[in-house]
Amino acid sequence: MGDIADRIAAARKEAEALKEKIKQKKDALADTTLKAVAADQEKLTAVNMKVRRTLKGHLAKIYAMHWACDKRHLVSASQDGKLIVWDAYTTNKIHAIPLRSSWVMTCAYAPSGNYVACGGLDNLCSIYNLKTKEGSVKVARELNAHTGYLSCCRFISDRQIITASGDMSCMLWDVDAGVKTLEFTDHTGDVMSLSLSPDKNIFVSGACDATAKVWDIRSGRCVQTFTGHESDINAVQFFPDGQAFGSGSDDASCRLFDLRADRELMQYTHDNILCGITSIAFSISGRLMFAGYEDFNCNVWDTLKGERVTALTSHENRVSCLGVSSDGMALCTGSWDSLLKV
């Protein structure tokens, strides 16, 4: 037995040494920093954002929201056991869908606008058809294979969806057949968030093991792992060009990671910010990064310079979710105060 223990210890040592070598090689390649490159850029003038719409209707904490691709509709999920589809222009509710389990943690709008999905502590991903002949919303599928809570789901198309779970895995599903087609396992902690790249061939996941991993949907393999955060990663979001992604963590920092350079480019922190980040999103150009915080604020960061541009302070409880509409014209924040603000 002692021999095996010695061999494991030796292998660990060797792995650490190799990791250090990789780090040195990568550091040697890092010829400049984003801050240095962006130094010549003009500072952003005051970003003036006002609440244009308040979406009232949920009776309890809102946990998730997601914009439709039509720039107009969005879906939100709350612990009142309702999934509400809103028209953000008129603030009208298009659908209010009663859920079988009120412990919902995520929701998603399909690119086509035909379906919405949600999931949570019931370990299921429930998919609802909004465009039925009868006009009523029906459960189209319940996807069941995860052994832990569902933390995040995103449609690739009407036929495919990716889910992330507290069972430390992500899964790709065939919605029509109701079966999982691929499982992505490499994280050593609950997976909290996922984001699809614009070309829909890869996705990034953030987890409670403080790492973010990039996965190839075609092969099912993890192709890159990014470390740096000191606590759980709650949110990940692809940069608009698909070459980088942002992350938000309980360590009170947001970070920007670049896929091609395989490293962290920037940290977004402030001495006054001590609480965790729940959600993040980028403006359509990528110059602004919006982050929702547990201290009821939404901070807006200059992605290039790493400076805080402004803070949006209209919620009376934790900002739990946020998103930018597909045309980049609107930011929607959802909060535990049961309101959505656009």
Side-chain angles (χ1 to χ4, degrees):
M1 277 307 284
D3 178 40
I4 289 177
D6 289 346
R7 279 165 63 190
I8 289 174
R12 279 221 175 97
K13 218 171 182 173
E14 189 184 359
E16 284 307 319
L18 287 169
K19 271 187 194 157
E20 191 50 43
K21 264 192 180 151
I22 292 171
K23 189 173 177 300
Q24 284 166 0
K25 278 256 163 72
K26 270 165 72 171
D27 289 347
L29 288 171
D31 50 3
T32 180
T33 64
L34 181 57
K35 258 204 167 101
V37 174
D40 307 339
Q41 291 283 335
E42 298 263 317
K43 264 199 166 173
L44 286 173
T45 48
V47 175
N48 193 13
M49 295 177 67
K50 291 194 186 78
V51 177
R52 308 288 176 187
R53 300 279 186 277
T54 300
L55 308 180
K56 294 189 180 112
H58 280 299
L59 306 173
K61 293 176 178 175
I62 293 173
Y63 268 80
M65 64 77 50
H66 192 215
W67 283 95
C69 286
D70 65 5
K71 329 186 243 305
R72 177 165 188 158
H73 295 95
L74 59 98
V75 61
S76 61
S78 158
Q79 279 198 337
D80 60 11
K82 291 276 194 295
L83 209 57
I84 299 183
V85 177
W86 306 84
D87 180 332
Y89 290 2
T90 62
T91 72
N92 290 342
K93 299 167 193 61
I94 311 296
H95 303 285
I97 306 164
L99 304 176
R100 291 179 190 173
S101 154
S102 62
W103 304 106
V104 60
M105 295 171 72
T106 179
C107 59
Y109 221 120
S112 64
N114 296 333
Y115 297 92
V116 291
C118 70
L121 296 182
D122 58 0
N123 298 6
L124 298 173
C125 179
S126 307
I127 296 179
Y128 294 87
N129 186 351
L130 302 178
K131 307 274 168 80
T132 55
K133 289 198 181 79
E134 300 84 61
S136 59
V137 176
K138 285 217 164 57
V139 178
R141 282 280 175 277
E142 284 186 337
L143 307 177
N144 182 9
H146 280 297
T147 54
Y149 61 86
L150 207 79
S151 59
C152 193
C153 61
R154 288 293 176 255
F155 283 96
I156 297 175
S157 65
D158 280 357
R159 292 199 296 284
Q160 286 184 302
I161 191 169
I162 292 183
T163 55
S165 164
D167 63 13
M168 306 198 290
S169 75
C170 299
M171 292 182 185
L172 172 69
W173 301 82
D174 178 325
V175 175
D176 294 339
V179 295
K180 73 166 185 202
T181 47
L182 262 181
E183 193 166 351
F184 305 90
T185 50
D186 205 17
H187 277 297
T188 54
D190 299 10
V191 186
M192 297 306 291
S193 174
L194 67 88
S195 174
L196 277 169
S197 70
D199 68 3
K200 305 228 185 329
N201 285 328
I202 56 172
F203 74 94
V204 60
S205 61
C208 291
D209 57 12
T211 68
K213 291 181 184 284
V214 178
W215 308 83
D216 189 319
I217 294 170
R218 295 157 294 192
S219 68
R221 284 213 284 275
C222 171
V223 288
Q224 275 174 294
T225 301
F226 293 90
T227 55
H229 277 295
E230 287 148 32
S231 186
D232 306 0
I233 295 179
N234 295 324
V236 287
Q237 178 67 44
F238 259 103
F239 197 70
D241 71 352
Q243 300 293 353
F245 68 89
S247 59
S249 160
D250 278 345
D251 65 10
S253 76
C254 295
R255 300 182 189 220
L256 183 68
F257 295 95
D258 188 278
L259 302 189
R260 291 171 297 186
D262 197 34
R263 60 186 302 120
E264 181 186 300
L265 293 184
M266 185 72 84
Q267 287 190 33
Y268 306 91
T269 52
H270 198 283
D271 295 343
N272 304 349
I273 300 176
L274 304 169
C275 67
I277 288 122
T278 60
S279 45
I280 60 165
F282 287 102
S283 64
I284 199 161
S285 68
R287 183 70 195 264
L288 297 177
M289 178 180 188
F290 304 99
Y293 290 76
E294 289 170 7
D295 65 2
F296 314 175
N297 291 337
C298 171
N299 285 316
V300 185
W301 297 90
D302 181 334
T303 310
L304 291 178
K305 292 185 176 284
E307 296 163 1
R308 181 161 62 166
V309 186
T310 184
L312 311 174
T313 55
S314 65
H315 282 295
E316 283 156 27
N317 205 327
R318 173 189 295 200
V319 176
S320 55
C321 52
L322 50 79
V324 174
S325 61
S326 57
D327 61 352
M329 295 304 286
L331 168 76
C332 177
T333 55
S335 162
W336 283 10
D337 63 12
S338 84
L339 299 177
L340 291 147
K341 304 201 173 197
V342 180

